[in-house]
Amino acid sequence: MSEGVVWLTIFILSVFVGIEVISKVSSTLHTPLMSGANAIHGVILLGAILVTGSTDNDLALVVGLIAIVLAAVNMVGGFVVTDRMLQMFVRKKPATAPEKGRDA
């Protein structure tokens, strides 16, 4: 079996595992799971930077730069969405009642 077939098999199996894991997670755990995925994506971004920095091929350099830009946008966007979701769980301060006798 060639190395390409092995990598393709691993990729397809990881897609199926990812779909099963995401479909089984309850909605209350989506925010922590998304936050963890963003942290893992930071590691992937670091790897893309290291691989792109070590290449001499022009095509690989262009593909690597595109991958770095897309990974950075995805990671930052994920943190922004996570922050917005966490804002939904913040308790709002109750409105203060006007002080008595201040109107007179």
Side-chain angles (χ1 to χ4, degrees):
M1 192 179 298
S2 70
E3 187 175 331
V5 173
V6 171
W7 286 112
L8 182 63
T9 303
I10 291 172
F11 177 74
I12 291 172
L13 290 175
S14 65
V15 167
F16 283 123
V17 169
I19 289 172
E20 285 298 315
V21 167
I22 293 298
S23 66
K24 303 288 190 248
V25 172
S26 67
S27 60
T28 56
L29 294 177
H30 277 187
T31 302
L33 181 66
M34 192 170 159
S35 180
N38 289 333
I40 292 171
H41 208 88
V43 174
I44 293 170
L45 177 62
L46 182 64
I49 290 171
L50 290 175
V51 169
T52 303
S54 66
T55 187
D56 293 332
N57 188 349
D58 290 338
L59 178 63
L61 184 66
V62 169
V63 171
L65 289 175
I66 292 171
I68 289 170
V69 169
L70 292 177
V73 168
N74 189 22
M75 187 180 74
V76 171
F79 278 117
V80 169
V81 169
T82 301
D83 185 54
R84 186 171 178 166
M85 290 174 70
L86 289 175
Q87 292 297 321
M88 294 187 326
F89 298 106
V90 174
R91 291 184 181 210
K92 295 178 181 173
K93 294 180 180 178
T96 57
E99 295 180 23
K100 292 182 178 178
R102 190 167 189 167
D103 294 333

